Amino acid sequence: MQLFLYRLGVFSYALMIRLSSLFLPKAQKWIAGRVGWESKLREVTSASDHWIWFHCASLGEFEMGRNLIEALKEAYPDKALLLSFFSPSGYEIRKGYKGAEYVCYLPLDTKQNASTFVDILSPELVVFVKYELWHYYLQAIHKQHIPLLLISARMRPSSPYFKGTLSGIYQQTLRYFTAIFTQDLQTAQLIREHSGHPQVIESADTRFDRVYATYEKFKEIPEISRFVKGRRCIVCGSTWPKAEQLLMESFQQLTHEEDVCIILAPHEIHPSRIQQWMDKYPGISLTHAQIESLTEAHRILWIDNIGMLSRLYKYADVCYIGGGWGTGLHNILEAVVFGKPVLFGPKHHKFPEAQEVIDIGGAFEIVDQASLTHQIRELLIEKERRENIHRINQNYVKARTGATDQILHWCVQEVFTTNKES
């Protein structure tokens, strides 16, 4: 019965996407990106017999797995890498990722699709990131005795994987993994308790490795240096309209302080919305595309491209991270690794790192306009406090690195060494 309900859920989701595609561009990309997937996969896989397959739901999961992808590519340059995404939010941004021989959408999770996909690719190793539990794909991989990992897993007791109509299917699906690496002890205990899986390993969140690598390999952005030019800077990453309204109102209260500037990088780039803000602050606003027109009068910079946000935080004195007002807090670690004080909205309870950094004094919850303006002003004024936060936050990230090396070591010992011996 549960399997029937699972198939019904997958079918219903596909139907909903098709209906949505009549008016939503994102749904149109979801469908178009899967057209002819089988012939494309057959064509590309003919170039190599040695594939490693990474699957990510979207962009955030890709960033979690990226360090491991690149570590495996460095260790085994003869292997080809296939990177699949479920969501257009990941695929559209990373379809040109040079670390993979092929980037594609994952076809819908049906028994036929899964069997065909796995048969064609015949990978030596499969890695799913965080919580993608597609039953038929994982079953097909398991049946062929292909090493299968779940990495950076994090689940709560209330998760549908442990409670709800389909919990039995999901618990069976968890047992298909050869090994599961979790972000925390709670997840490891939950998976052991509900699935009885013998190879559940508490490691850490691989995002810490990713952001620390960005910090260590930081590359200057010359035009951002010219824009900041010694001024105190507020960098606002992955913002949504509600937060942009609050941030611009707060910035307006600081306009008498000429040595303060602000950079905003929206989560979704809508030129018309950016232009509306530009029109409200003429003469002091510009977009990154207009950076060649930069003058000393410009104090507001809108980032209208994808790809530089994680490096922007280096230039900040104070950072605001979006998503904390309803959609889900975005990655605060990209700012924390540079030692910056971080502000975000009140809905962050599903993100343990947010509370952890609040507890050590490196992050601050914003509940309204007054608290946002107060925190920005206080942090901009108190240089010694910012320096103390810099030390605290950097130590916090560095102490939690190492998950990538742990997982890589497992792959070397349990997959590729075994393959060589056999």
Side-chain angles (χ1 to χ4, degrees):
M1 182 62 179
Q2 286 195 12
L3 194 55
F4 169 77
L5 292 174
Y6 178 83
R7 291 197 298 264
L8 181 62
V10 170
F11 173 80
S12 299
Y13 183 86
L15 180 60
M16 180 187 70
I17 289 290
R18 291 198 173 277
L19 292 173
S20 300
S21 69
L22 298 174
F23 50 88
L24 289 179
K26 190 173 181 179
Q28 293 165 8
K29 290 176 180 177
W30 192 97
I31 293 171
R34 289 167 167 83
V35 172
W37 69 264
E38 183 177 342
S39 59
K40 293 175 186 175
L41 186 63
R42 289 187 186 280
E43 181 180 353
V44 74
T45 53
S46 63
S48 175
D49 294 326
H50 304 284
W51 285 90
I52 297 172
W53 171 20
F54 269 76
H55 175 67
C56 309
S58 192
L59 186 61
E61 288 75 20
F62 167 74
E63 292 299 331
M64 283 183 169
R66 185 169 179 172
N67 258 37
L68 181 60
I69 290 172
E70 294 173 1
L72 282 167
K73 287 288 287 183
E74 183 177 352
Y76 301 100
D78 60 316
K79 311 294 183 187
L81 190 129
L82 182 141
L83 173 64
S84 64
F85 288 99
F86 185 76
S87 167
S89 301
Y91 175 80
E92 294 299 327
I93 293 173
R94 292 302 179 194
K95 59 187 175 183
Y97 175 57
K98 298 187 184 304
E101 278 65 32
Y102 188 53
V103 183
C104 65
Y105 281 100
L106 184 72
L108 199 66
D109 187 33
T110 67
K111 190 171 185 177
Q112 182 61 52
N113 283 351
S115 178
T116 302
F117 193 98
V118 175
D119 284 344
I120 295 171
L121 185 61
S122 190
E124 296 181 15
L125 170 68
V126 181
V127 182
F128 275 44
V129 181
K130 197 174 182 180
Y131 45 49
E132 286 282 273
L133 298 186
W134 295 114
H135 174 77
Y136 285 113
Y137 278 100
L138 299 177
Q139 184 183 65
I141 296 162
H142 176 73
K143 282 183 176 179
Q144 293 198 21
H145 306 288
I146 298 167
L148 172 61
L149 298 185
L150 180 64
I151 68 168
S152 286
R154 185 167 68 82
M155 303 170 186
R156 291 170 292 141
S158 59
S159 167
Y161 300 144
F162 308 125
K163 292 184 177 180
T165 307
L166 298 179
S167 59
I169 286 291
Y170 289 129
Q171 289 163 33
Q172 172 61 53
T173 302
L174 282 166
R175 289 192 285 273
Y176 292 144
F177 288 100
T178 311
I180 298 172
F181 290 85
T182 71
Q183 292 185 27
D184 54 32
L185 178 60
Q186 176 182 257
T187 300
Q189 291 173 335
L190 285 167
I191 293 174
R192 290 189 194 109
E193 176 187 346
H194 289 275
S195 73
H197 199 296
Q199 278 279 1
V200 182
I201 304 160
E202 181 193 356
S203 54
D205 187 342
T206 49
R207 287 182 304 162
F208 286 98
D209 297 316
R210 180 63 198 157
V211 298
Y212 199 74
T214 300
Y215 164 74
E216 288 192 306
K217 299 174 183 178
F218 175 75
K219 293 181 180 179
E220 192 77 24
I221 311 176
E223 65 272 25
I224 302 300
S225 295
R226 292 199 304 272
F227 172 77
V228 176
K229 201 177 180 179
R231 296 182 292 191
R232 292 172 294 169
C233 183
I234 308 161
V235 172
C236 312
S238 298
T239 58
W240 293 84
K242 177 179 175 65
E244 288 163 10
Q245 182 70 42
L246 297 176
L247 287 160
M248 294 310 295
E249 289 178 10
S250 290
F251 184 71
Q252 192 170 20
Q253 296 182 44
L254 299 169
T255 51
H256 62 284
E257 300 185 42
E258 295 182 357
D259 70 331
V260 176
C261 60
I262 187 169
I263 301 173
L264 301 103
H267 181 66
E268 295 180 348
I269 297 171
H270 297 290
S272 60
R273 194 171 88 224
I274 292 176
Q275 189 59 50
Q276 288 175 355
W277 282 115
M278 301 268 291
D279 293 342
K280 287 185 178 181
Y281 298 91
I284 64 169
S285 302
L286 81 166
T287 65
H288 185 267
Q290 301 167 338
I291 202 71
E292 293 303 318
S293 303
L294 177 66
T295 70
E296 291 187 0
H298 289 118
R299 299 177 59 201
I300 303 171
L301 176 63
W302 289 89
I303 305 299
D304 53 356
N305 59 59
I306 299 294
M308 66 169 61
L309 176 58
S310 62
R311 291 186 291 156
L312 287 178
Y313 295 121
K314 169 73 172 179
Y315 299 91
D317 291 283
V318 179
C319 296
Y320 177 89
I321 311 300
W325 297 94
T327 59
L329 184 63
H330 295 292
N331 191 355
I332 72 167
L333 299 178
E334 292 177 335
V336 173
V337 73
F338 285 107
K340 307 303 179 179
V342 176
L343 314 179
F344 42 76
K347 295 188 177 180
H348 56 78
H349 305 295
K350 294 181 181 179
F351 304 87
E353 69 275 10
Q355 190 59 52
E356 289 171 359
V357 183
I358 288 174
D359 291 343
I360 62 175
F364 307 89
E365 178 183 292
I366 301 303
V367 295
D368 54 24
Q369 180 66 62
S371 63
L372 176 61
T373 304
H374 172 76
Q375 285 293 356
I376 290 176
R377 180 176 281 120
E378 291 296 311
L379 288 165
L380 288 177
I381 290 171
E382 299 178 22
K383 183 178 180 181
E384 185 175 336
R385 187 181 179 195
R386 294 201 308 271
E387 290 172 349
N388 187 48
I389 288 172
H390 186 279
R391 175 184 56 80
I392 290 171
N393 281 0
Q394 284 202 322
N395 288 343
Y396 168 80
V397 174
K398 187 174 183 179
R400 287 159 177 78
T401 58
T404 298
D405 287 342
Q406 183 182 10
I407 300 167
L408 177 63
H409 179 76
W410 188 94
C411 292
V412 171
Q413 295 298 314
E414 302 295 331
V415 180
F416 299 111
T417 300
T418 302
N419 286 350
K420 286 180 182 178
E421 291 173 352
S422 59

